[in-house]
Amino acid sequence: FRSFVRKNREGYSSVRTAIKQAHFTLPWDIYVSTAYLWAFVSAVLGTLLAFMLTPLWKTLYMYYLKVAVRIAPLGLGSYGETIFIIVLCLFISLFIGAAVYYGILAYPGLVARTRKSKIDLTLPHAVAYMHALSKGGLSLISIFRSLHENVNVYGEAAEEIGYIVLDTELHGSDIITALKNAAVWAQSDKFRDFLENLVNVASTGGDLEIFFENMVEHYQNSAEADQNMYLELLGMFAETYITVFVAGP
């Protein structure tokens, strides 16, 4: 399947992006080829299972669905039951194969969306930690290394920062290039905006301490606004409940 998948590279652009964002180590073409393989195996197993249930299909054909009565005018005779079972088995096998195939392809996107939610939750705390370190005059890469060492505390945001450190140490990229690469593949819009702003500050020699301080204040204001919106929404639901279920009757 791999040669076929590579020829249709553009058709799997969304899958390739999701695999990259989910940080799967398996190459995209092997992953998609594996999806085809498991879909084929599942379809074959589904066909075997469907044929094993032939007595059930015969019962449905004769009594419950009454297909025999409905297709009698077609003059199929005894072949009607056989055709019905074959078509039903093929439908079941195709359905199972398609479900497995699209389920496997959708999995990286599900992982990426889960990571996005976790990054959005942990990023403000990670930025606050970076702000505290920047007060000591540490370089940006040193701040990133320290944050990544505390991944158990700062979660997914620290793990994403760790990939930036890995890009500089393993691939030899400079810090600006590593930040740009991370921004391209970032699954979180909030994290992407943070990286793009950080690129502008770092490339122009700006003050990192002031930048992190501003970002901390920005995230605090955003959190307060979200909390106020949530409280207003709860208040609206409470008023609706009182009006409809308490005062209404």
Side-chain angles (χ1 to χ4, degrees):
F1 300 106
R2 195 173 181 183
S3 59
F4 170 77
V5 169
R6 286 183 172 180
K7 290 179 182 178
N8 296 273
R9 178 185 180 91
E10 296 302 323
Y12 301 101
S13 58
S14 59
V15 178
R16 289 189 287 116
T17 301
I19 290 175
K20 188 74 174 179
Q21 292 178 340
H23 296 296
F24 285 7
T25 56
L26 194 66
W28 74 270
D29 53 342
I30 296 179
Y31 186 86
V32 177
S33 300
T34 303
Y36 274 110
L37 177 61
W38 279 110
F40 175 76
V41 172
S42 300
V44 172
L45 294 177
T47 303
L48 295 176
L49 177 62
F51 275 111
M52 290 174 62
L53 297 175
T54 298
L56 175 61
W57 310 143
K58 289 183 178 180
T59 303
L60 291 176
Y61 178 82
M62 293 296 297
Y63 302 107
Y64 290 96
L65 300 180
K66 297 181 180 180
V67 180
V69 177
R70 295 178 182 178
I71 67 174
L74 299 178
L76 296 177
S78 60
Y79 295 104
E81 180 180 294
T82 304
I83 294 174
F84 172 78
I85 293 175
I86 292 176
V87 171
L88 184 60
C89 292
L90 289 177
F91 173 78
I92 292 174
S93 64
L94 291 175
F95 176 80
I96 293 176
V100 170
Y101 172 74
Y102 288 108
I104 293 176
L105 292 190
Y107 179 67
L110 178 62
V111 174
R113 287 191 292 272
T114 302
R115 288 181 58 83
K116 173 185 179 300
S117 301
K118 293 181 178 179
I119 290 172
D120 290 343
L121 287 174
T122 56
L123 182 59
H125 306 289
V127 173
Y129 179 79
M130 288 187 279
H131 175 231
L133 293 181
S134 65
K135 293 181 178 180
L138 293 177
S139 64
L140 184 58
I141 190 63
S142 298
I143 293 174
F144 282 176
R145 287 196 186 100
S146 178
L147 177 61
H148 181 56
E149 290 173 358
N150 293 277
V151 66
N152 293 332
V153 178
Y154 296 99
E156 296 293 329
E159 186 174 347
E160 287 295 317
I161 293 296
Y163 288 110
I164 299 176
V165 176
L166 183 64
D167 193 9
T168 59
E169 296 178 348
L170 188 61
H171 302 145
S173 302
D174 60 88
I175 186 62
I176 301 299
T177 302
L179 287 171
K180 291 180 179 178
N181 292 338
V184 169
W185 297 107
Q187 57 270 60
S188 167
D189 294 335
K190 182 185 291 188
F191 186 61
R192 183 185 300 110
D193 293 339
F194 168 76
L195 292 178
E196 291 175 348
N197 292 330
L198 183 56
V199 167
N200 294 332
V201 173
S203 59
T204 57
D207 193 322
L208 291 177
E209 181 181 350
I210 295 178
F211 168 75
F212 287 131
E213 182 179 359
N214 291 335
M215 293 305 298
V216 169
E217 183 178 355
H218 169 70
Y219 290 139
Q220 287 178 345
N221 293 335
S222 297
E224 291 178 0
D226 292 340
Q227 186 176 21
N228 290 334
M229 184 182 301
Y230 178 72
L231 292 176
E232 290 177 0
L233 185 62
L234 287 180
M236 183 181 66
F237 284 147
E239 291 178 0
T240 303
Y241 175 81
I242 293 174
T243 301
V244 175
F245 295 101
V246 179

